[in-house]
Amino acid sequence: MFSLRNIFRPQPDPREARRPLWNAVVAAARTPHWYAEGTVPDTLDGRFDMISLVLALVLHRIDEDPAQGIAGVQLTELFVNDMDGQMRQIGFGDMVVGKQVGRMMSALGGRLGAYRAADGSNELRAALVRNLWRGAEPTEAGIAHVMAGVAALRGRLAATPVSELIVADRLDGARP
């Protein structure tokens, strides 16, 4: 009888083990310095792009330890679930949400490639301008602040063992 009970009892969602890290990604992306000193537009698009930036850097770090690959998948699935929920909360209907999530995943995929560019490089600068400011030229101080923040976050992530990162509940070091 005991085993039948276990069969019908819902199992915990394994993605929830990454919830603290997902919350830390969002919190790091919503840190006011990105929007104030970095001049990233504090809009839905700007917030999405900052979350995508921080998430890409975290996923790059997780990818460096192939044994932790499932953690990156789980984190990405939390991203999808959260974006789906946010769109529904804004008022998007079922017919539109699927297409929008597909576009967001495509955008994240592109950013994962673009944000592999080296710190301080023209390639990274161009990717940041294209994505965070949607091609509009930011102030020199703004782009310098964001590029320094990216370098600081990468440095902090590189100093954190992936086994610790995947259970982290905060990301430090994103402020230049």
Side-chain angles (χ1 to χ4, degrees):
M1 195 60 141
F2 176 73
S3 62
L4 284 179
R5 221 177 310 154
N6 286 339
I7 291 173
F8 295 109
R9 181 179 303 146
Q11 298 299 313
D13 186 343
R15 295 176 295 192
E16 288 305 310
R18 302 303 146 239
R19 177 73 57 192
L21 179 56
W22 170 246
N23 291 340
V25 165
V26 173
R30 291 296 298 138
T31 305
H33 75 89
W34 296 116
Y35 306 93
E37 293 102 72
T39 69
V40 173
D42 193 4
T43 62
L44 286 174
D45 286 342
R47 293 174 193 176
F48 169 79
D49 287 316
M50 277 309 306
I51 289 170
S52 296
L53 170 59
V54 174
L55 179 60
L57 298 179
V58 169
L59 290 173
H60 290 161
R61 179 66 180 118
I62 292 171
D63 285 348
E64 292 174 12
D65 184 350
Q68 302 294 345
I70 190 68
V73 171
Q74 292 168 335
L75 190 60
T76 303
E77 288 174 353
L78 289 173
F79 165 79
V80 170
N81 288 345
D82 194 33
M83 294 300 117
D84 181 281
Q86 294 296 323
M87 286 187 292
R88 291 178 192 281
Q89 192 172 26
I90 291 170
F92 284 84
D94 288 340
M95 300 295 286
V96 177
V97 169
K99 288 181 183 181
Q100 291 297 330
V101 168
R103 287 184 186 136
M104 288 178 170
M105 286 303 298
S106 177
L108 178 61
R111 284 156 176 81
L112 281 166
Y115 294 148
R116 287 196 186 277
D119 288 337
S121 69
N122 287 335
E123 293 83 11
L124 180 60
R125 184 185 198 285
L128 292 170
V129 169
R130 181 176 58 250
N131 296 318
L132 299 178
W133 290 277
R134 303 295 167 119
E137 195 61 36
T139 65
E140 208 44 54
I143 187 69
H145 180 85
V146 171
M147 288 186 72
V150 167
L153 181 55
R154 276 190 181 154
R156 181 71 173 171
L157 291 170
T160 305
V162 175
S163 60
E164 291 177 21
L165 175 63
I166 63 171
V167 296
D169 61 356
R170 65 180 219 186
L171 299 174
D172 295 324
R175 185 156 179 100

